[in-house]
């Protein structure tokens, strides 16, 4: 039961940070390209790579930070929704760049986060 509580606490902080960061980025980087979600998801991947390496994906710290915080911070549903909006607006090239960029940069960020603490 403690683990569930830790996941919930971490997710709450991650979601609040995502909300505030999204507002901040949208205000400073007006664009059709969804930079806010991309930046936030990459940051979550980087942090998850670090947590996974530090905790070996076990224990309360991983539940709080890896599953909870990073899960609340990142948002696949928003990525998917923004991609559909881009497609509806016939911004096909941006949609493809967004999806591929999110995957490639996200995987790279997780690898980099793991590498930092694997030295």
């Amino acid at each position: 039961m403690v683990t569930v509580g830790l996941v919930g606490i971490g997710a709450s902080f991650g979601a609040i940070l995502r909300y505030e960061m999204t507002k901040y980025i949208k205000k400073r980087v007006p664009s059709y390209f969804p930079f806010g979600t991309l930046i936030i998801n990459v940051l979550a991947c980087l942090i998850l790579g670090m947590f996974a390496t530090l905790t070996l994906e076990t224990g309360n710290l991983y539940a709080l930070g890896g599953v909870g915080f990073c899960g609340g911070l990142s948002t696949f549903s928003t990525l998917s929704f923004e991609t559909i909006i881009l497609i509806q607006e016939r911004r096909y090239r941006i949609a493809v760049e967004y999806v591929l960029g999110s995957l490639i940069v996200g995987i790279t960020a997780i690898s980099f986060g793991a590498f930092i603490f694997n030295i």
Side-chain angles (χ1 to χ4, degrees):
M1 197 62 173
V2 170
T3 303
V4 172
L6 290 171
V7 170
I9 291 167
S12 297
F13 281 104
I16 291 167
L17 180 60
R18 177 180 71 227
Y19 173 73
E20 293 298 328
M21 284 181 68
T22 299
K23 287 190 324 186
Y24 179 83
I25 294 167
K26 281 185 177 183
K27 189 181 291 184
R28 280 150 185 80
V29 187
S31 173
Y32 289 113
F33 192 91
F35 284 108
T37 304
L38 177 64
I39 291 166
I40 292 164
N41 283 344
V42 169
L43 177 63
C45 288
L46 178 68
I47 295 168
L48 180 59
M50 289 187 252
F51 267 110
T53 301
L54 284 173
T55 63
L56 303 176
E57 299 177 55
T58 61
N60 288 338
L61 185 58
Y62 184 72
L64 175 72
V67 177
F69 180 76
C70 290
L73 180 60
S74 65
T75 173
F76 185 77
S77 58
T78 301
L79 182 150
S80 301
F81 178 70
E82 290 169 342
T83 301
I84 292 300
I85 297 299
L86 290 168
I87 291 169
Q88 289 173 344
E89 293 175 347
R90 300 180 192 274
R91 299 180 191 281
Y92 304 115
R93 184 180 55 84
I94 294 174
V96 170
E97 290 171 350
Y98 181 42
V99 170
L100 291 178
S102 294
L103 288 172
I104 292 167
V105 177
I107 291 168
T108 302
I110 284 185
S111 298
F112 185 67
F115 174 77
I116 290 171
F117 286 98
N118 204 19
I119 295 175

